[in-house]
């Protein structure tokens, strides 16, 4: 099966790669997409693997806000957002909820989540930030006896640190938004 890669450049050594199963001129909202973060030295993280509409709609919203410097983290977020997300998922803390919902206020900035990784987009000061953070593997599933890499959440969180925190140039974000809107228009 022929696939097409859509590359969203971050800088000379990093990019996002959107992989779709055919020429993007034939996209449908239910088509699958894989999104990878990649570097020139062959580091690759799978950030998303699901319906293209679930990937592009939030990307468009958060990019638009970030370009306008309106995608700031909630005032209550004083620690790293990925760390807090893990604490929320583990039930260790009770974080502020978005008014009228059962959702943590930080989820506004959650761009994608793939078991094991969360991707966040936000403004810090006047910068646009893309953050890729690990998520504790056993938040969602029980460990099996064959899981030789299993460690408790308490042990895992002691060594927590984001995988990548990347400042995105505003012009780069504008290019990403233009491509995202182009792909969404094809699906309409």
């Amino acid at each position: 099966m022929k696939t097409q890669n859509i590359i969203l450049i971050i800088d000379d050594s990093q990019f996002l790669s959107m992989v779709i199963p055919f020429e993007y001129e034939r996209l449908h909202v239910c088509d699958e997409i894989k999104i990878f973060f990649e570097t020139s030295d062959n580091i690759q993280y799978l950030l998303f693997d699901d319906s293209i509409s679930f990937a592009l709609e939030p990307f468009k919203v958060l990019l638009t806000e970030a370009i306008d410097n309106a995608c700031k983290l909630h005032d209550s977020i004083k620690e790293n957002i990925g760390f807090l997300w893990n604490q929320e998922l583990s039930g260790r803390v009770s974080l502020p909820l978005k008014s009228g919902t059962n959702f943590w206020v930080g989820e506004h900035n959650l761009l994608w989540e793939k078991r094991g990784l969360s991707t966040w987009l936000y403004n810090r000061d006047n910068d646009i930030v893309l953050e890729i953070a690990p998520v504790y593997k056993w938040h969602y599933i029980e460990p099996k006896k064959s899981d030789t890499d299993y460690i408790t959440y308490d042990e895992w969180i002691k060594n927590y640190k984001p995988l990548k925190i990347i400042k995105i140039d505003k012009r780069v974000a504008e290019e990403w938004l233009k491509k995202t809107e182009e792909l969404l228009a094809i699906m309409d």
Side-chain angles (χ1 to χ4, degrees), residues 11 17 62 108 120 161 171:
D11 58 32
S17 175
L62 289 179
H108 174 80
W120 306 87
K161 65 180 182 182
R171 289 183 311 267

Side-chain angles (χ1 to χ4, degrees), residues 29-48:
V29 294
C30 295
D31 288 333
E32 298 290 313
I33 188 171
K34 290 182 187 218
I35 301 174
F36 296 91
F37 168 82
E38 300 187 48
T39 68
S40 58
D41 48 342
N42 297 320
I43 294 173
Q44 184 182 66
Y45 298 113
L46 178 61
L47 305 178
F48 187 86

Side-chain angles (χ1 to χ4, degrees), residues 12 14 23 26 46 63-64 66 82 84 96 116 128 133-134 138 140 145 157-158 163 174 181:
D12 292 341
Q14 305 173 103
E23 293 82 12
R26 299 181 2 222
L46 178 61
L63 278 172
T64 301
L84 288 175
I128 299 171
W138 293 280
Y140 301 110
K145 289 183 182 192
I157 200 69
K158 286 179 189 176
L163 295 174
E174 289 168 343
E181 289 174 335

Side-chain angles (χ1 to χ4, degrees), residues 62 65 71-82 84-85 88 95-99 101-112 118-122:
L62 289 179
E65 289 178 7
C71 196
K72 294 177 175 44
L73 296 174
H74 190 270
D75 290 340
S76 67
I77 300 174
K78 305 292 185 207
E79 296 179 72
N80 173 268
I81 193 165
L84 288 175
W85 181 237
E88 168 72 13
L95 298 172
L97 301 179
K98 187 175 179 180
S99 180
T101 73
N102 291 324
F103 297 103
W104 172 47
V105 293
E107 287 183 69
H108 174 80
N109 300 90
L110 180 60
L111 179 55
W112 303 307
S118 57
T119 306
W120 306 87
L121 190 65
Y122 54 88

